[in-house]
Amino acid sequence: MQYEVEFMVLTKYAPKLVSTLEEKCYNFLRVLRECIWHSLVPFDIHDFFELVERARLVENNLMSTQNVTSGLLISSGPIWDRPGTISSDVVPDFVQKFQENFPASFSVFESHLHRSSKMANAYSPPSAAAGEITGSHSVEINENLNKTTEVNSIDDVLERYMSASTPNLLFPFLASLTWIFDSQQNFVNVFSDNPPPWHCTSYTCDFTTPCNLPSNTSWSFSKPRKISIISDFSLECSSPVLHALPASSFYAGCLVGGISLATLADSRLGRKNSLVFSSFIMSLTAVLTAFSPNLAVYALLRFACGFARANVGTSAFVLSSELVSRRHRNRVSILTFIFSTTGFLSLPAIAFLNRAYSWRVLYLYTSIPSLFYSIFLHFFMTESPRWLLLKDKKKEAIETLKKLLPLIETVSFSDLAVTRSDKTESSDLFSAARMLWEKRWALRRLGSIIIVSFGVGMMYYGMPFNLGSLDANLYISVALNAAAELLSAFIVFFLASAVSRRRSMVVLMVVSGGCSLACTAIGGWLAVVVELVAFFGVYTSLSLVMIYNVELFPTCVRNSALAVLRTAVVLGGVAAPALVAAGRRRKLFSFGVFGIVIIFCGLFIVFLPETRGRALSDTMEEEEHKMIHGRNIISSS
């Protein structure tokens, strides 16, 4: 869209005319061609980037169906007929307002345009060779017909088809459903590794731990030994490190798997097969865990389960989001929160029904359904059409689109034969890391995000494991934590766009840390209530820091920054179980450390800029320009 570029250039010279999003959208909308204007006005769009995207899709549709080759402006030619002069019959209303209200700035802009035109005329670029990239489109030259054919991007073509039909949410639903099993494996150690209660069997027994008793004949477990690995493997008097080994091994596997399997869905395996493979291995290792003969094998299998589980959630999210158009992705993303919390909520119910049986049965209950579901996905799930087109599998992509969009089965999909990808798979894997390293501001932001994410991850993973240290029913406590997580997810979904990032994060992390510290001095159900406030705060902080991370870094390095954030969160999870095991004897080592760490880490938020309501950047240079512009506004005020 030519006018989008011209419009963005003019806004730099007349910022008062686009001081609000409503004015920006209004001025952009009123100078579009009448046919495009009629298509967009009923939607009452107030987001500028969504408005531009909708206008571009309408324009592409007109060009493909009516052979429309003119631009979006009232005149197909440029706004300016010749350097230094303005033709009133083709000047958009926005430019006229700009000239009337800011004549001095307009003169500067016009002279700048005049110099640019001279420079452009002084250089005549060579004609494009067959198949090379020209502007934002690649061009294929047909020598027999002596004309060029525009090649649309894969995203453009898929968006046009998906927006033209009612979405089929069945396949995104099936992909998102795996988050239930992912969440169950994430927290199953809360019940399987929880030390069982014990009682004295002699009158001389007055110790707080059975390890201090003279013989095993003076005490006994209150429940069968098989209900926990602590009693089953005779670990009741072992060090806290051994108690925490299985859970820490699981999160260590998540850490290694997150790094090793990060590009699995982009490789030859694809979105669907990556999800099926990761889910199947996670389920299979969980089944084998139920037959562990000792602690070493148990910890090793938990590591393998975490290694495979690291890619389940990411593959499910990417696949489900690529099966719908952009305007339906928010609806699909909420499925992730709902199913993840559903898995967390279902876990205490399953554990309660299994409270009289072995911990091995608990693993079978949570892994066998996941194993069969992985097989079901293999036969009935569809692949991402975007990935298929990236791999030049156009026939499979067309069949997939017909499954997703049954209302357009009669469409020929002829333009899928001339598509291009906006990204290349041969890009340097270390280019994003190099860009982050070379920019001091990016490195400073990344360092703050790592520290904040580590503190949030330690407390988020540690609090559910620490519920066993409270004098309350473990099943009810975990269920309340899951309900608090669901409430937090909905609050973030509806209010994230309205709250300050920095202020909210600092308040939430300080309040969570304070409540965690308070848990060291209180007990009973009062401690459960205070712990719920702490967990609600830390989960809300986790959701906000992920949104914050997206807004802090431009598109060219955003995925890498998000991967670093997730790694820092899981690294905090690796350290949490050892603190929980030590805290079973003294709460200060668990609740106290969690509170101190998250408060300290939360202070690093002040080194990050506020990003609420700010447009996302695509390049490092664009982000630097916004930083300079922001500093100029602050200094002038």
Side-chain angles (χ1 to χ4, degrees):
M1 288 173 59
Q2 177 185 353
Y3 182 60
E4 179 193 355
V5 178
E6 295 168 350
F7 182 82
M8 295 303 293
V9 171
L10 287 175
T11 58
K12 298 178 182 179
Y13 293 87
K16 292 184 179 179
L17 292 181
V18 289
S19 57
T20 65
L21 287 177
E22 288 77 9
E23 291 181 359
K24 194 173 184 179
C25 292
Y26 171 77
N27 285 307
F28 181 80
L29 186 63
R30 66 183 301 173
V31 293
L32 298 177
R33 295 179 56 196
E34 186 176 356
C35 56
I36 299 178
W37 181 84
H38 279 299
S39 300
L40 296 176
V41 166
F43 292 102
D44 192 25
I45 301 172
H46 296 286
D47 184 275
F48 178 72
F49 294 98
E50 182 182 356
L51 180 61
V52 171
E53 181 65 19
R54 293 286 184 93
R56 184 178 62 81
L57 291 174
V58 173
E59 181 193 27
N60 289 343
N61 185 59
L62 288 173
M63 293 176 68
S64 62
T65 58
Q66 301 177 9
N67 197 25
V68 176
T69 57
S70 60
L72 287 179
L73 292 179
I74 298 172
S75 169
S76 60
I79 295 177
W80 300 273
D81 291 338
R82 58 185 181 278
T85 63
I86 302 295
S87 176
S88 60
D89 59 332
V90 296
V91 176
D93 181 65
F94 176 79
V95 182
Q96 290 178 346
K97 286 186 177 182
F98 178 84
Q99 187 176 16
E100 293 170 1
N101 292 282
F102 304 94
S105 299
F106 188 79
S107 299
V108 175
F109 171 72
E110 197 174 13
S111 62
H112 170 77
L113 177 70
H114 180 65
R115 291 192 301 268
S116 300
S117 300
K118 284 185 176 181
M119 294 176 64
N121 294 331
Y123 173 74
S124 178
S127 59
E132 70 173 315
I133 303 297
T134 304
S136 60
H137 301 281
S138 65
V139 177
E140 293 180 358
I141 299 179
N142 188 324
E143 297 179 356
N144 297 327
L145 298 177
N146 194 26
K147 64 180 182 179
T148 62
T149 303
E150 182 180 9
V151 182
N152 297 312
S153 72
I154 289 174
D155 289 335
D156 291 342
V157 175
L158 291 178
E159 188 65 21
R160 184 162 67 250
Y161 284 126
M162 289 181 173
S163 300
S165 177
T166 303
N168 185 348
L169 298 179
L170 174 62
F171 292 106
F173 178 88
L174 293 177
S176 301
L177 205 62
T178 54
W179 278 90
I180 293 178
F181 310 114
D182 173 275
S183 187
Q184 288 177 346
Q185 292 303 318
N186 198 17
F187 291 109
V188 68
N189 290 90
V190 172
F191 297 100
S192 63
D193 299 3
N194 187 53
W198 63 278
H199 62 276
C200 295
T201 56
S202 66
Y203 296 103
T204 59
C205 175
D206 58 353
F207 292 89
T208 58
T209 172
C211 300
N212 297 327
L213 296 176
S215 65
N216 293 338
T217 58
S218 58
W219 68 276
S220 175
F221 285 111
S222 303
K223 294 182 178 181
R225 297 182 67 94
K226 60 185 179 181
I227 67 168
S228 169
I229 68 158
I230 302 297
S231 53
D232 198 11
F233 295 150
S234 300
L235 302 175
E236 58 271 9
C237 295
S238 301
S239 68
V241 175
L242 289 180
H243 286 196
L245 181 61
S248 294
S249 298
F250 176 79
Y251 292 119
C254 292
L255 182 64
V256 177
I259 298 173
S260 305
L261 306 178
T263 60
L264 193 63
D266 295 323
S267 64
R268 296 181 180 179
L269 208 56
R271 304 337 187 198
K272 170 193 169 181
N273 291 332
S274 175
L275 175 61
V276 172
F277 172 77
S278 300
S279 180
F280 182 82
I281 297 300
M282 178 189 75
S283 306
L284 182 61
T285 52
V287 170
L288 294 177
T289 301
F291 302 96
S292 301
N294 51 54
L295 179 65
V297 175
Y298 178 71
L300 182 63
L301 288 171
R302 290 306 291 159
F303 177 88
C305 183
F307 182 87
R309 176 256 168 192
N311 203 41
V312 172
T314 303
S315 299
F317 181 80
V318 171
L319 178 58
S320 60
S321 63
E322 291 185 355
L323 294 176
V324 294
S325 62
R326 293 188 186 101
R327 62 178 176 175
H328 295 293
R329 283 177 187 170
N330 282 342
R331 189 185 306 177
V332 170
S333 66
I334 195 63
L335 290 176
T336 298
F337 292 109
I338 294 174
F339 287 137
S340 178
T341 308
T342 300
F344 194 7
L345 271 170
S346 66
L347 189 58
I350 297 173
F352 179 77
L353 296 175
N354 188 66
R355 65 189 182 279
Y357 301 98
S358 172
W359 60 270
R360 303 174 189 272
V361 179
L362 178 62
Y363 272 97
L364 294 177
Y365 281 162
T366 56
S367 59
I368 291 180
S370 177
L371 187 66
F372 282 106
Y373 190 72
S374 302
I375 300 173
F376 171 83
L377 287 178
H378 174 71
F379 290 102
F380 296 99
M381 191 61 196
T382 184
E383 181 57 270
S384 163
R386 184 183 184 278
W387 182 84
L388 290 172
L389 287 174
L390 281 171
K391 296 299 180 182
D392 201 28
K393 300 180 179 181
K394 294 184 174 61
K395 183 177 179 180
E396 293 90 332
I398 291 173
E399 294 301 320
T400 299
L401 284 173
K402 289 182 177 180
K403 290 181 182 178
L404 295 174
L405 310 171
L407 296 182
I408 58 173
E409 288 186 357
T410 58
V411 176
S412 64
F413 298 97
S414 58
D415 53 350
L416 286 181
V418 282
T419 56
R420 67 174 177 86
S421 172
D422 289 327
K423 299 179 181 179
T424 58
E425 292 184 271
S426 59
S427 59
D428 185 4
L429 294 176
F430 300 98
S431 60
R434 186 165 53 249
M435 283 189 285
L436 289 169
W437 179 262
E438 291 174 350
K439 302 292 184 180
R440 291 186 61 185
W441 60 267
L443 201 59
R444 185 166 56 249
R445 291 182 184 183
L446 191 63
S448 298
I449 284 291
I450 289 174
I451 296 174
V452 171
S453 302
F454 176 81
V456 170
M458 176 183 288
M459 190 166 177
Y460 171 70
Y461 288 115
M463 293 301 270
F465 283 96
N466 219 13
L467 292 173
S469 302
L470 302 178
D471 299 327
N473 187 287
L474 179 63
Y475 307 102
I476 297 178
S477 301
V478 174
L480 290 175
N481 272 250
E485 184 174 304
L486 181 63
L487 177 63
S488 171
F490 277 106
I491 289 177
V492 170
F493 180 77
F494 290 109
L495 298 181
S497 59
V499 298
S500 166
R501 306 293 184 253
R502 283 203 306 179
R503 191 179 300 112
S504 301
M505 288 285 297
V506 171
V507 171
L508 286 169
M509 294 179 73
V510 170
V511 170
S512 297
C515 291
S516 184
L517 289 171
C519 288
T520 61
I522 57 178
W525 284 105
L526 178 61
V528 174
V529 173
V530 176
E531 187 274 338
L532 276 176
V533 176
F535 186 76
F536 175 86
V538 74
Y539 184 76
T540 308
S541 299
L542 178 61
S543 302
L544 284 178
V545 77
M546 295 184 71
I547 297 173
Y548 205 0
N549 184 83
V550 170
E551 298 170 342
L552 282 171
F553 297 95
T555 305
C556 58
V557 296
R558 189 171 296 135
N559 285 345
S560 298
L562 184 60
V564 172
L565 181 151
R566 295 186 61 188
T567 300
V569 171
V570 176
L571 191 61
V574 173
L579 295 173
V580 170
R584 289 181 181 136
R585 300 176 182 177
R586 192 173 180 183
K587 291 182 180 179
L588 182 62
F589 294 129
S590 54
F591 285 112
V593 173
F594 292 158
I596 294 172
V597 168
I598 198 169
I599 291 175
F600 172 77
C601 293
L603 298 179
F604 284 82
I605 293 290
V606 300
F607 297 108
L608 298 173
E610 179 57 55
T611 59
R612 181 177 67 90
R614 199 186 67 170
L616 300 180
S617 301
D618 291 323
T619 64
M620 304 294 275
E621 292 74 18
E622 183 181 352
E623 182 66 22
E624 289 176 341
H625 175 76
K626 290 179 180 179
M627 293 167 58
I628 295 173
H629 181 65
R631 285 196 293 265
N632 292 338
I633 293 178
I634 295 175
S635 60
S636 62
S637 60

